[in-house]
Amino acid sequence: AATYMSEEDLALLSECIHMGRTGTVEEIMNANKKFHDLIVQASRNPVMIDIIDRMQSIIYLFRKTVVYHKRPFLIDEHQEIYDA
């Protein structure tokens, strides 16, 4: 995905990280989903995109647990992914 990321995508990833640090729980949930969706779509891998799309309900439950329980370093890990 990194090789296909546009400047616009990178800016959106950065916004997601900012929201992850400053937003409400609901905003953080949305930013977390958007962050991962941007990366999946940027992969341009139709098989992976399809698999991830079919797993959305499971991913949502995991995401909700992670955000609501404020897993340590979650946003720092997103920052590291963005920096890479």
Side-chain angles (χ1 to χ4, degrees):
T3 59
Y4 297 118
M5 281 272 166
S6 68
E7 290 299 319
E8 181 181 332
D9 288 339
L10 290 173
L12 291 171
L13 286 179
S14 182
E15 289 174 20
C16 291
I17 292 167
H18 175 73
M19 188 58 65
R21 294 191 192 284
T22 62
T24 65
V25 169
E26 193 62 34
E27 289 170 332
I28 294 168
M29 285 282 295
N30 291 334
N32 190 324
K33 180 178 184 333
K34 186 174 182 178
F35 183 89
H36 291 277
D37 287 349
L38 284 163
I39 293 170
V40 169
Q41 292 301 315
S43 74
R44 300 183 186 176
N45 181 327
V47 174
M48 184 176 73
I49 291 168
D50 180 58
I51 290 169
I52 298 293
D53 283 346
R54 288 188 280 134
M55 294 177 60
Q56 284 303 315
S57 58
I58 294 167
I59 293 169
Y60 172 79
L61 293 174
F62 180 73
R63 182 177 292 123
K64 187 172 183 175
T65 301
V66 166
V67 170
Y68 278 94
H69 292 286
K70 299 181 179 175
R71 186 175 71 75
F73 310 113
L74 173 67
I75 305 305
D76 294 334
E77 290 170 0
H78 285 181
Q79 183 69 52
E80 290 175 10
I81 291 167
Y82 171 80
D83 291 343

